[in-house]
Amino acid sequence: MDVVRELIGAGFFRVIAVPGNACGTVEHTVLLALWRYEAEGASGTSEGWIHPYYPASQRAYRAVQHCVRCAEAKGVPLRLRNDIRVKPIFARLPGFTQGRNTLSYAEGAGSRFHVQIMTLDMPMDETIPLQEEPHSLHCGDCRRCMTACPTGAIDENGYHREKCLRNWMLTGKPVPPELRIAMGNRLLGCDECQRCCPHNPPPSGETQPLVPLAELLARPKEASAALQKLIGVNLALPNRVLAQACLLAGCEGREDLMDTLQSLAAHPSETVREHAAWAEVQITKRRTQPFFAEEAGISCSSGQNTL
Ligand code: SF4
Ligand code: SF4
């Protein structure tokens, strides 16, 4: 079985083999299979938005599972791995770079790719040796992502995970109050520090289907079950999706969802209750203080509108 050919045939755009011992594994070879996706064109809406990375990663996961099963059936020692840190490998791989936004960039895809990691306990001729030293950042004088980030998560001192929106989405924990208003319409993912980067191709892909907030708030179990096909079971847990949808309703000033938000005051999840109460306050402020959004610097739907 030609593993690389199988993976390319399954939809991966590139497969890289590196020596296992350089990655801290006992197997001969580590395989990195890259799945490319396109960034979306702009689209203004107050419904829930999902970054195209997440559906792409689900498709890649299903594809790699299929390849691993085929390999097992043929006695090929190919294993899916989630215990190998990939950024240090990319940092020493020819053809890859890294930005201030902490993302790795691949030739031909920029930062718009997802990687699946496998080990193959067989030597391969096409194994690429890692460089001794990691690359320096590709940024030069550029500071665009620092300016574009809606929460100041990237500055001269680096990336601050605790301020990054992605770090708080669908975790089931209350989002820090000072970050909530920046969620805009983002149900999952944030594109600002990739969209502004000159090392990325301009957005050109189709807009993902948007998820109606009314549906998420009123029927979270059914809506989450549908979402699981798109983003996976672990991310689309009903109470987590519901808690994020509450924030989006508040950010987007969705007066039409006020009754549903109020009905969540007795919800068993503390995070849902807290986010719903916060959303009610935001919507009320908008109603009573029409210029509240502008004064607060709210950028609704900014997950897709900012280039
Ligand atoms: S993903 Fe969004 S919030 Fe996080 S660092 Fe990038 S721009 Fe900032
Ligand atoms: S936007 Fe500029 S500073 Fe940020 S990662 Fe890209 S090149 Fe580097």
Side-chain angles (χ1 to χ4, degrees):
M1 176 181 178
D2 183 335
V3 173
V4 172
R5 184 190 291 246
E6 288 284 330
L7 289 163
I8 296 289
F12 291 92
F13 88 97
R14 195 170 160 201
V15 180
I16 301 157
V18 290
N21 58 9
C23 308
T25 68
V26 294
E27 291 85 355
H28 277 96
T29 306
V30 170
L31 291 176
L32 306 175
L34 310 190
W35 189 281
R36 185 167 39 195
Y37 66 88
E38 289 194 15
E40 297 178 349
S43 132
T45 174
S46 63
E47 304 297 350
W49 176 74
I50 293 174
H51 192 285
Y53 170 87
Y54 295 92
S57 65
Q58 270 304 107
R59 287 194 289 274
Y61 180 61
R62 284 195 288 268
V64 84
Q65 276 186 319
H66 174 74
C67 290
V68 168
R69 279 197 298 269
C70 288
E72 275 171 4
K74 293 174 181 169
V76 175
L78 181 70
R79 281 182 56 210
L80 199 49
R81 298 288 291 262
N82 59 11
D83 58 338
I84 296 174
R85 287 189 61 225
V86 76
K87 279 193 179 175
I89 302 175
F90 284 144
R92 293 170 53 207
L93 252 181
F96 285 77
T97 61
Q98 194 172 23
R100 283 186 215 285
N101 55 11
T102 73
L103 298 171
S104 301
Y105 288 65
E107 274 176 3
S111 63
R112 307 293 194 178
F113 69 92
H114 167 79
V115 60
Q116 288 285 336
I117 308 156
M118 288 150 279
T119 50
L120 179 65
D121 207 6
M122 293 164 58
M124 290 181 73
D125 292 342
E126 55 270 51
T127 301
I128 302 174
L130 298 183
Q131 298 171 1
E132 283 297 318
E133 296 297 325
H135 316 294
S136 50
L137 297 184
H138 62 202
C139 302
D141 294 333
C142 180
R143 299 286 186 279
R144 289 191 204 181
C145 56
M146 289 165 54
T147 307
C149 176
T151 56
I154 310 168
D155 64 20
E156 293 291 351
N157 297 319
Y159 166 72
H160 305 281
R161 179 178 296 277
E162 73 284 359
K163 288 187 182 177
C164 176
L165 296 175
R166 280 193 318 235
N167 187 47
W168 292 99
M169 291 165 172
L170 304 186
T171 61
K173 297 178 193 155
V175 173
E178 68 276 15
L179 300 182
R180 291 175 188 171
I181 201 68
M183 288 292 178
N185 72 337
R186 300 174 182 90
L187 188 64
L188 180 59
C190 169
D191 202 43
E192 302 306 317
C193 60
Q194 294 188 76
R195 189 172 282 257
C196 66
C197 181
H199 291 269
N200 269 332
S204 60
E206 296 284 316
T207 300
Q208 298 285 336
L210 294 147
V211 193
L213 293 186
E215 185 71 18
L216 292 175
L217 289 175
R219 284 175 286 281
K221 284 188 182 156
E222 293 82 352
S224 298
L227 272 180
Q228 286 175 2
K229 296 187 185 85
L230 198 64
I231 61 175
V233 174
N234 292 343
L235 285 170
L237 298 175
N239 282 355
R240 297 184 184 197
V241 170
L242 178 58
Q244 185 71 7
C246 290
L247 290 187
L248 307 196
C251 291
E252 298 291 329
R254 291 287 297 267
E255 186 81 48
D256 60 311
L257 300 175
M258 194 62 151
D259 289 348
T260 318
L261 288 166
Q262 285 168 346
S263 74
L264 296 171
H267 194 277
S269 159
E270 185 185 339
T271 305
V272 169
R273 292 198 303 273
E274 187 173 330
H275 285 186
W278 178 87
E280 282 182 51
V281 171
Q282 302 310 305
I283 295 167
T284 304
K285 275 186 185 170
R286 284 206 182 193
R287 187 194 309 142
T288 56
Q289 305 169 32
F291 297 110
F292 165 71
E294 287 78 3
E295 286 166 9
I298 298 168
S299 170
C300 292
S301 306
S302 56
Q304 295 187 62
N305 286 343
T306 308
L307 279 170

